[in-house]
Amino acid sequence: MKLATKYIHAGTEPDPSTGAIMTPIFQTSTYVQEAPGVNKGYEYARSQNPTRKALEDAYAQIENGKFGLAFGSGVAATDAVIKLLQPGDEVIAANDMYGGTYRLFTKVFAKFGIRFTYVDTTDAANVSKAITAQTKLIWIETPTNPLMNITDIAAIAAIAKKAGVLLCVDNTFASPYLQNPLDLGADIVMHSATKYLGGHSDVIQGCLIMNDESLREQLYFIQKSCGAVPGPMDCFLVLRGIKTLHVRMQRHCENGEKIARFLRNHPKVGKVYWCGFEDHPGYTVASKQMRGFGGMMSFTLKDDSVETARKVLSSTKVFALAESLGGVESLINHPASMTHASIPREERIKNGLTDSLIRLSVGIEDADDLIEDLQQAIG
Ligand SMILES: *Cc1c(COP(=O)(O)O)cnc(C)c1O
């Protein structure tokens, strides 16, 4: 089945009792049983909910996986993966990833005795070198947030297989429309569905997708035991979002390319980080593992000061100054003081995340309006 057809029909069957074409919002906490232990597969809504079930099936289908699990947020999904581990286990993680993931690893899980090693995963050899007898999991993100670095998923998957460790890929930035890590050998795909999957900036949610049944059982056990489940209304919103993922992503890609080229030709702009440029260090790998380059990018100004960056950030009229990404509306963000403020400054700068870096989530408005807006803001 082609992507467009799959996204529109994924997970949703007409409701058997009414024929409703859209899965109803089953706003219930419990289900009446015919006799003790005799039920229709639903007992208590932390464990199962039909709206969530439809969405979890959709998650599996759009990532070419067998099983999907929905969580109350992206970080709740990440949290569930780390709970597969035990004290003394080691995780190799990318040194350039979502700030909230870094915070969860360093501030929450490190104190439970799980050890994290951060390496530059754009060079797969760094991952091989970091593996020890205690390594249980490799955690990567590609493209990364906000520098758009690219990691070769298939290369890391081969290393993980050989060492017998799990590979989890945070696929939030690409979305399943542009990249499918399970097809490249990953064991688990994680998304912040808050972003492109929901797509309308109206819901917080996360998910995990996998092929291995025993991994699914362990993660389902964590989902119901720890309880970070999304409500049925939120599941409905993401189900609806997925139906237009392909059309939205096509426009995000088109607009992204126009804006990236505009910025690159602008005399006041310094570096532009967008993985669709042929001279981007990850271009070859990105072209191999992605179907397009998306609408996420970052740039610096030639006048590399916080003040100038702040002026641009406060002057846009169509781009809204806000955290998050992946919605229909364009957003502008200052990683150093917003999304990545939880990463120590020294650590940030070392990884190229300077004080004047500006991140854009290019939405699906008319590209001419977006360019005009950036033009007047940059001056
Ligand atoms: C937003 C985001 C997360 C966290 O997801 P939430 O839904 O905000 O909890 C994780 N990874 C990436 C790449 C993100 O952009």
Side-chain angles (χ1 to χ4, degrees):
M1 196 183 280
K2 297 272 172 35
L3 294 184
T5 318
K6 185 155 80 174
Y7 293 158
I8 289 172
H9 297 281
T12 47
E13 294 289 336
D15 176 50
S17 59
T18 61
I21 194 160
M22 192 56 198
T23 307
I25 301 164
F26 284 90
Q27 195 74 49
T28 189
S29 61
T30 192
Y31 308 87
V32 178
Q33 312 203 4
E34 286 153 46
V38 182
N39 58 60
K40 299 180 165 65
Y42 294 94
E43 297 156 298
Y44 183 63
R46 173 156 38 75
S47 308
Q48 317 96 356
N49 177 285
T51 318
R52 195 175 94 209
K53 170 79 168 63
L55 176 60
E56 290 180 332
D57 289 348
Y59 281 146
Q61 288 172 33
I62 65 176
E63 273 294 8
N64 301 335
K66 288 207 181 100
F67 309 105
L69 291 170
F71 292 85
S73 67
V75 292
T78 304
D79 171 272
V81 175
I82 305 303
K83 284 176 177 157
L84 291 167
L85 308 178
Q86 296 187 17
D89 286 349
E90 290 180 8
V91 179
I92 298 172
N95 64 0
D96 165 29
M97 55 180 190
Y98 178 67
T101 306
Y102 180 82
R103 181 175 56 195
L104 179 67
F105 290 178
T106 55
K107 297 278 162 65
V108 180
F109 280 111
K111 70 173 185 242
F112 290 108
I114 294 170
R115 291 202 284 266
F116 298 89
T117 309
Y118 300 95
V119 304
D120 175 359
T121 60
T122 61
D123 181 355
N126 293 335
V127 176
S128 304
K129 272 185 257 160
I131 288 182
T132 72
Q134 280 69 50
T135 307
K136 293 287 152 54
L137 173 73
I138 300 171
W139 184 280
I140 61 171
E141 196 181 307
T142 180
T144 61
N145 177 6
L147 291 173
M148 307 307 295
N149 287 321
I150 302 291
T151 289
D152 187 333
I153 299 173
I156 306 288
I159 293 167
K161 283 258 135 60
K162 195 161 149 244
V165 310
L166 292 174
L167 170 62
C168 183
V169 180
D170 180 339
N171 202 28
T172 302
F173 262 43
S175 90
Y177 181 75
L178 298 182
Q179 178 172 279
N180 301 113
L182 295 179
D183 291 347
L184 302 167
D187 299 289
I188 307 171
V189 173
M190 173 262 161
H191 280 279
S192 168
T194 310
K195 318 294 169 53
Y196 287 109
L197 295 176
H200 295 76
S201 312
D202 52 10
V203 65
I204 295 283
Q205 191 172 134
C207 66
L208 299 175
I209 301 109
M210 68 245 63
N211 278 319
D212 184 76
E213 190 155 4
S214 107
L215 199 50
R216 190 261 170 201
E217 284 315 309
Q218 293 172 64
L219 288 165
Y220 172 64
F221 181 81
I222 292 167
Q223 184 199 40
K224 79 173 177 194
S225 304
C226 300
V229 291
M233 176 73 193
D234 288 358
C235 291
F236 173 88
L237 288 171
V238 180
L239 262 178
R240 185 165 79 165
I242 288 172
K243 288 177 190 292
T244 55
L245 181 66
H246 54 296
V247 224
R248 288 185 285 109
M249 288 312 296
Q250 281 158 16
R251 182 62 73 86
H252 283 297
C253 288
E254 281 166 29
N255 283 0
E257 173 154 14
K258 286 181 190 161
I259 305 280
R261 295 198 187 284
F262 158 78
L263 288 171
R264 181 167 250 199
N265 291 325
H266 196 290
K268 290 193 178 164
V269 170
K271 275 195 182 148
V272 184
Y273 299 91
W274 180 66
C275 59
F277 287 132
E278 284 179 26
D279 56 1
H280 182 287
Y283 179 79
T284 313
V285 175
S287 309
K288 188 179 69 173
Q289 68 190 16
M290 299 173 77
R291 297 185 192 91
F293 304 107
M296 294 303 302
M297 66 195 66
S298 298
F299 67 98
T300 58
L301 296 161
K302 284 213 177 113
D303 170 11
D304 194 25
S305 69
V306 186
E307 293 70 40
T308 317
R310 291 187 82 90
K311 201 184 124 269
V312 173
L313 287 151
S314 320
S315 312
T316 55
K317 299 191 170 72
V318 182
F319 279 86
L321 178 63
E323 294 195 8
S324 199
L325 61 109
V328 290
E329 55 285 281
S330 293
L331 302 180
I332 190 166
N333 167 303
H334 187 222
S337 67
M338 297 167 72
T339 45
H340 291 61
S342 53
I343 301 179
R345 185 168 183 274
E346 247 169 63
E347 198 84 9
R348 266 199 289 111
I349 307 266
K350 207 170 70 197
N351 297 333
L353 216 153
T354 61
D355 287 336
S356 69
L357 190 80
I358 294 173
R359 186 185 85 181
L360 299 179
S361 170
V362 176
I364 65 171
E365 299 96 335
D366 192 291
D368 292 344
D369 291 328
L370 297 178
I371 288 173
E372 198 181 304
D373 191 36
L374 290 171
Q375 179 66 61
Q376 64 79 26
I378 298 169

